[in-house]
Amino acid sequence: MRRKTTPTNAARTVQLLAAVVLFTTGTGALAGCGSEQSGGSGNKVRATGQAPEAAARARRVADAWDGSKAAEAWRAGYHPMGEAVELPEGGFHDKADEHAYATQNFVLRGRLPAAPERDGRVTWASGGSLARPMLGARDAYGRFARSSSEGPHLTVTGARLGEMTLATSRGPATVPAWLFTLEGYDTPLKSVAVGPSKLPKPPIGPAAGSPSGELWELRSLVEVAGDGRSVTAIGNHGACDDGPAVHVLETDGSVVLSASIAGRRDGLCTAQLLGREVTVKLDRPVGDRVLLDAATGRPVPYGGPHGPSPSWS
């Protein structure tokens, strides 16, 4: 069944580390504004319906994945779909520490353990487990600490092995984690200590001629609702439109998201590529179905504040 959705009431221009970038060659389609979809006002978008070419592409993606070896491998693997780093209980003490974390500015005072000579085990709440190679504390530290410049910083004084809960493509799982001691904090900062499964080769390539007015690649997945009945992703758009719109095609084996630009207007526009959260409601929970991007023909990557999840890094 095909459905469409509009940006959430709290939709906002997503402020990542680089929230606004200049268009690269091939993305200038947004600078000249058209009127494929009637515009709404504010955060509401009134889409006229999915373009036939985009709908056909979504169907081809679903047909290629459903029952494929790639889908089988995806369901059998460990693919993080949530934050690989968990903050100390209660969050950071002040704005300076929040800024240090956002800019990945850390100082290491102490020695970090090497990877244990054994595999770690990922255990799903729904049942089943999988052995995965362990990462050393230094590798896990590098996931969130990529700078040691002057200014506000956080200080790590050591690490020990523990566990954390993480969202994955197969639902929540308990995974091994390095628990980093932060100077001035009673509880640790946690970072996943096992590597993800290799992404399966997609059974279909990216859409020809994408991006276009009818089909754009999604930037990233933000979250799947706890009941699995909705997903939130970041769609791209420009400065002269009403924002991204996302249609969904649900099958027994997959959920295919097709992103487009809504309410493009005539006139001069600045060449910007913006992102906005869009929530898509589903007819039934995602479950073990593969969440796919129609434009790329690949699973939609989870994107945290410091980039994609380890599965896509």
Side-chain angles (χ1 to χ4, degrees):
M1 177 178 178
R2 295 187 184 88
R3 300 184 62 185
K4 65 184 179 185
T5 187
T6 58
T8 60
N9 290 335
R12 59 192 179 276
T13 298
V14 179
Q15 300 298 324
L16 303 175
L17 295 180
V20 178
V21 297
L22 292 178
F23 276 121
T24 56
T25 301
T27 61
L30 287 183
C33 303
S35 58
E36 281 189 341
Q37 294 178 305
S38 59
S41 59
N43 289 330
K44 300 285 187 179
V45 176
R46 299 192 300 272
T48 61
Q50 189 175 23
E53 296 84 355
R57 165 65 185 182
R59 173 54 66 184
R60 289 194 296 273
V61 171
D63 289 346
W65 274 88
D66 290 357
S68 68
K69 291 183 178 180
E72 182 179 341
W74 173 264
R75 292 190 181 96
Y78 160 58
H79 302 288
M81 301 293 281
E83 275 304 308
V85 178
E86 183 179 301
L87 304 185
E89 293 179 14
F92 294 116
H93 293 332
D94 50 39
K95 295 294 184 182
D97 285 357
E98 290 178 5
H99 179 76
Y101 179 72
T103 56
Q104 301 180 292
N105 199 23
F106 282 77
V107 171
L108 176 60
R109 292 179 183 162
R111 304 184 70 176
L112 296 180
E117 294 183 0
R118 58 179 174 82
D119 287 341
R121 186 156 292 276
V122 178
T123 304
W124 279 274
S126 59
S129 65
L130 183 68
R132 294 300 304 158
M134 292 285 290
L135 302 174
R138 172 68 71 171
D139 290 331
Y141 175 78
R143 183 176 288 131
F144 58 82
R146 300 183 182 180
S147 176
S148 57
S149 60
E150 295 183 4
H153 64 268
L154 290 161
T155 301
V156 170
T157 58
R160 61 183 176 84
L161 267 178
E163 293 181 334
M164 64 182 282
T165 300
L166 179 70
T168 78
S169 59
R170 294 166 59 178
T174 299
V175 300
W178 287 107
L179 279 51
F180 292 92
T181 304
L182 292 181
E183 191 173 87
Y185 287 82
D186 295 330
T187 57
L189 182 150
K190 302 179 181 181
S191 184
V192 174
V194 290
S197 300
K198 182 179 179 181
L199 283 172
K201 182 179 179 181
I204 187 172
S210 180
S212 67
E214 294 79 21
L215 191 62
W216 276 76
E217 178 180 344
L218 285 164
R219 187 175 296 186
S220 62
L221 176 70
V222 176
E223 67 175 356
V224 176
D227 61 3
R229 297 298 294 264
S230 67
V231 297
T232 300
I234 297 176
N236 294 310
H237 70 105
C240 249
D241 54 58
D242 289 332
V246 177
H247 289 76
V248 59
L249 171 64
E250 297 188 51
T251 72
D252 289 340
S254 59
V255 176
V256 184
L257 302 180
S258 304
S260 59
I261 308 299
R264 295 187 296 165
R265 297 182 292 275
D266 293 328
L268 294 175
C269 302
T270 55
Q272 295 175 336
L273 182 62
L274 308 175
R276 184 184 294 176
E277 291 184 6
V278 182
T279 295
V280 181
K281 294 182 179 180
L282 305 177
D283 287 334
R284 54 194 175 92
V286 175
D288 67 352
R289 294 183 292 172
V290 187
L291 189 62
L292 299 165
D293 185 338
T296 65
R298 294 162 53 89
V300 182
Y302 171 80
H306 295 148
S309 73
S311 283
W312 278 266
S313 60

